[in-house]
């Protein structure tokens, strides 16, 4: 059954061995452990099979559940783009996270 979409987006500079991670789950699969399991699988795949040095992601301010999953998976908040995303009539920050 289709639960959502996930990807590791590689970069042209192959020698840098870095990728950006993204995940989108259908709402009916939220809060059921899929996000955590998929994120851990993708991190393991990136480092063990693709020989990545770094995986990065961006998450919108206020998405506390996603930030919690990423932090439990080993990601660290590395930066913030202040008021970079317009959501429901208000500006929200974009939080930049990474794992080595």
């Amino acid at each position: 059954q289709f639960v959502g979409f996930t990807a590791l987006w590689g970069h042209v500079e192959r020698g840098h061995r870095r990728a950006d991670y993204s995940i989108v789950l259908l709402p009916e699969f939220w809060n059921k452990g899929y996000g955590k399991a998929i994120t851990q699988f993708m991190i393991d795949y990136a480092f063990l099979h693709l020989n990545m040095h770094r995986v990065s992601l961006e998450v919108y301010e206020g998405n506390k559940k996603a930030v919690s999953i990423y932090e439990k998976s080993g990601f660290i908040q590395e930066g913030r783009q202040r008021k970079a995303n317009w959501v429901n009539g208000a500006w929200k920050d974009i939080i930049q996270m990474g794992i080595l």
Side-chain angles (χ1 to χ4, degrees), residues 45-79:
Y45 188 80
F47 290 117
L48 299 175
H49 298 284
L50 299 177
N51 195 30
M52 289 291 130
H53 169 70
R54 170 186 190 76
V55 177
S56 302
L57 63 84
E58 292 183 343
V59 61
Y60 297 137
E61 173 186 24
N63 192 345
K64 294 178 183 176
K65 183 69 173 177
V67 170
S68 175
I69 288 170
Y70 301 143
E71 288 177 340
K72 288 177 185 174
S73 298
F75 283 88
I76 295 171
Q77 291 190 31
E78 297 179 322

Side-chain angles (χ1 to χ4, degrees), residues 16-94:
H16 294 284
R17 297 182 5 241
R18 63 186 181 100
D20 294 325
Y21 172 62
S22 63
I23 182 171
V24 178
L25 297 178
L26 297 174
E28 58 264 32
F29 297 101
W30 293 356
N31 300 313
K32 296 183 179 183
Y34 289 100
K36 183 177 181 181
I38 292 167
T39 297
Q40 192 58 59
F41 174 85
M42 295 297 279
I43 292 168
D44 290 346
Y45 188 80
F47 290 117
L48 299 175
H49 298 284
L50 299 177
N51 195 30
M52 289 291 130
H53 169 70
R54 170 186 190 76
V55 177
S56 302
L57 63 84
E58 292 183 343
V59 61
Y60 297 137
E61 173 186 24
N63 192 345
K64 294 178 183 176
K65 183 69 173 177
V67 170
S68 175
I69 288 170
Y70 301 143
E71 288 177 340
K72 288 177 185 174
S73 298
F75 283 88
I76 295 171
Q77 291 190 31
E78 297 179 322
R80 183 177 289 259
Q81 294 178 23
R82 296 175 297 132
K83 308 217 181 288
N85 193 40
W86 183 257
V87 179
N88 298 325
W91 289 104
K92 299 286 185 179
D93 293 357
I94 296 175

